[in-house]
Amino acid sequence: MPSLQHFVATFREDLETARRRDPAARSLLEVALAYPGVHAVWTYRVAHAMWREPALRLPARLLSQAVRFLTGIEIHPGARLGRRLFIDHGMGVVIGETAEVGDDVVLFHGSTLGGKSMRRGKRHPTLGDNVVVGAGAKILGPVWIGDGVQVGANAVVIHDVPAGAIAVGVPAQVRRRPAAAPFDVEIDDPAIYI
């Protein structure tokens, strides 16, 4: 199990991330008290540490389900989440057991990192670093989403998406970002909100 000092440092980083990503955040105290995405990620971090101990898997699942009830965000404790994940608003976000999420990822409300098979094994997506998943988007199956990808709102992604691309539509079509347009998750991109 990670040390208490590690958890405190990680929790502070999660607070700073939410404050930096959300222009409506006025203070760290507000984020700590009123952001369900932060609460869900914090609880996931504890449940994930528990999940790694076979004897604690049932308590880990029960903890994750209690937080699902309270926040509307379901993160399976077996998922692997990177640093500085920001879940904006959060209601309806689902992250499956074998999902892997890189660093500096943003998930908007209603997004799903889900499976499309009932077989055991890897059945959820892997997201690289600096990925933005728009509101209501569904990324299904053991697909790979490259670094810097933007997934448009309500897109349904069922195939791999190369680094730096934009995926929009149902089923999602991959569009290349113009070479002259550097990726910056802080810049509004209309592809995310369509």
Side-chain angles (χ1 to χ4, degrees), residues 88 106-109 130-137 148-155 165-169 175 177 183-194:
D88 195 14
V106 177
L107 301 176
F108 284 91
H109 57 280
N130 298 303
V131 172
V132 177
V133 180
V149 165
Q150 292 182 317
V151 178
N154 295 313
I166 297 169
V168 294
R175 298 181 186 167
R177 182 176 288 109
F183 175 75
D184 184 351
V185 75
E186 302 295 333
I187 297 173
D188 288 344
D189 187 313
I192 295 304
Y193 306 105
I194 60 172

Side-chain angles (χ1 to χ4, degrees), residues 71-94:
T71 65
I73 300 167
E74 181 174 349
I75 306 174
H76 192 287
R80 293 176 32 201
L81 306 184
R83 295 174 60 192
R84 297 175 299 278
L85 170 64
F86 178 52
I87 301 175
D88 195 14
H89 295 289
M91 184 59 74
V93 167
V94 176

Side-chain angles (χ1 to χ4, degrees), residues 18-107:
R19 185 173 176 208
R20 188 181 81 252
R21 296 273 189 193
D22 188 352
R26 289 180 290 280
S27 71
L28 293 180
L29 180 61
E30 177 185 19
V31 172
L33 296 175
Y35 277 57
V38 171
H39 301 155
V41 169
W42 282 348
T43 306
Y44 155 80
R45 295 196 190 289
V46 172
H48 182 70
M50 294 167 63
W51 184 260
R52 293 175 12 204
E53 298 291 331
L56 297 177
R57 286 196 167 182
L58 177 59
R61 283 286 283 157
L62 296 175
L63 177 60
S64 72
Q65 290 301 296
V67 170
R68 174 185 180 227
F69 174 77
L70 295 171
T71 65
I73 300 167
E74 181 174 349
I75 306 174
H76 192 287
R80 293 176 32 201
L81 306 184
R83 295 174 60 192
R84 297 175 299 278
L85 170 64
F86 178 52
I87 301 175
D88 195 14
H89 295 289
M91 184 59 74
V93 167
V94 176
I95 301 174
E97 177 184 14
T98 62
E100 299 174 54
V101 177
D103 295 336
D104 302 302
V105 169
V106 177
L107 301 176

Side-chain angles (χ1 to χ4, degrees), residues 3 11 16 52 55 70 90 98 100-101 113 118 127 134 143-144 155 191:
S3 70
F11 287 4
E16 293 285 355
R52 293 175 12 204
L70 295 171
T98 62
E100 299 174 54
V101 177
L113 307 181
M118 299 303 278
L127 278 59
V143 298
W144 177 79

